[in-house]
Amino acid sequence: RRTLTRSCRQSMRAAIREAMQTTLAFAAVAAVGTMYVLVHERRRKAKALRRTEAAANGGGGGAGTSGAGGSETMSRDQLLMILEQSSTAAYQLIEQTRKMVYAKHQQTGQSLETVVEELQKDFEHAMETVVAQIRKNHGVTEEQMTRAMVANQADEQVKAALTTLREAMSGTPPPAAPAQEVKARAPRRNGKARRKG
């Protein structure tokens, strides 16, 4: 009877230890994601402030701003779409990184904090690459995104999209895509399949 009790205690301790390690790994990855968002937002705001000051001081020096003539016309809908896609991609990257942290921790026996520190730079680089690729897919620069966010900062949907992005970077899944988009995609796939066959 005591042997059974001891083995039960040991298995419970192991299960609790594993649950704690998983929780710590998730918290660490979420903290890294949050730090990235905060740093990225600060950079963006600093750039916007510098551009505003340059424009107020005569506005002549902006070779980077003159090439972005289309930036003024970036629509609110395009901004919302990019933010939505960024949220989804950020969450997926957070989840992938969390799994990598836990797997490496299990394989090497290193502490979760050590593994997170090792993977942090790769994570930051991957996040920048993903966000840049989404912008590139839409033909938009970071400067154009910044201008669009400043121009639409009072818009409730833009605020909600930015909040969703921050939450995604903290490990909260973004809301599911609207059903209309899913329906719109389905006929295209069926149409392509019929043409091939």
Side-chain angles (χ1 to χ4, degrees), residues 106-165:
Q106 291 288 20
Q107 290 172 354
T108 63
Q110 294 177 324
S111 71
L112 292 171
E113 293 80 15
T114 303
V115 175
V116 168
E117 286 177 17
E118 286 180 15
L119 296 177
Q120 183 173 356
K121 288 189 180 187
D122 291 338
F123 170 79
E124 290 173 1
H125 177 70
M127 186 63 73
E128 288 177 12
T129 302
V130 165
V131 171
Q133 186 60 46
I134 291 170
R135 285 193 313 259
K136 182 179 177 186
N137 290 347
H138 288 273
V140 174
T141 65
E142 184 174 354
E143 183 178 330
Q144 290 172 309
M145 285 286 296
T146 302
R147 284 191 208 164
M149 283 190 276
V150 169
N152 293 291
Q153 63 188 349
D155 187 282
E156 292 302 319
Q157 284 184 310
V158 172
K159 287 180 186 178
L162 286 168
T163 299
T164 300
L165 178 58

Side-chain angles (χ1 to χ4, degrees), residues 63-77:
T65 58
S66 64
S71 66
E72 302 293 330
T73 61
M74 182 178 166
S75 71
R76 178 178 110 7
D77 291 337

